[in-house]
Amino acid sequence: TRPQMGLGGPPGMAPPTRPQMGLGASPPTRPQMGGGGGYPGAVPVTSPQMGLGGACGPLGLGAGQPQRDFQEVVRELWRTGWEAATEGQSSSIGVSGEADVVLECILATGVDVASLPLRHKCLAFRAGDSPWTVGRMQQPNLFTRLVPDESVRGSISRSHLTLSWQRDTVRLKKLSANVVLVDGRPVPPQQEMAVSNGGQIGFCGQDNLTTFLVFQVFVRDPNAAARLPPTMA
């Protein structure tokens, strides 16, 4: 008989199959952008997302290590100007260059925060002026820049929260009826919660479901001479 083309091997052995085009070993999966360690749904501190928000709740946000340290943030604010970053606070920071806590916005719904100058997305505080109140009444210009949609901005109370410096630790107290998150955990009403260096503070909308604004916290190391003006440190 005429040999069958392409067959061979012992009788009964299945011939080698023709590899299917595009099939084979499973290709390595493409890493998910922004993924990594921490809580599920953690807001990445690298490449802030424009116009995205997360679900509020126990796992809505996650703590992240800051990409830069407190000194670096202070030096940049000193170089570019403190004025906008001290809105609603004592003007002494701008004169002395001293600060103990800085909040930097890393996510704002509808705004590319990465393109904003640091001074236009930060709040700087000095321990001697503690406690500090954050809200639409105290920082109207900051929140207008970060939350241009007035209907969303209405979710920020006139006095939304307070921060205080207690024994070299930052503590947050929620004043708003809306959900406030610290590292993904809701802050109980009228109770305080500690905020660590690199922690995240999330503002939720009136539905208490959507995180529309997130700040990362930079805290001075009490053992460092960080309060000196950057040109002297």
Side-chain angles (χ1 to χ4, degrees), residues 68 70-86 93-94 97 99 101-104 117-125 218 230:
R68 48 191 172 187
F70 175 85
Q71 280 280 17
E72 184 180 349
V73 174
V74 168
R75 285 192 176 95
E76 184 173 343
L77 286 173
W78 174 267
R79 180 177 57 82
T80 60
W82 285 94
E83 291 76 11
T86 60
I93 292 179
V101 178
V102 177
L103 306 186
E104 178 186 357
L118 188 64
R119 66 183 183 275
H120 286 163
K121 58 184 176 181
C122 280
L123 285 175
F125 305 106
F218 294 86

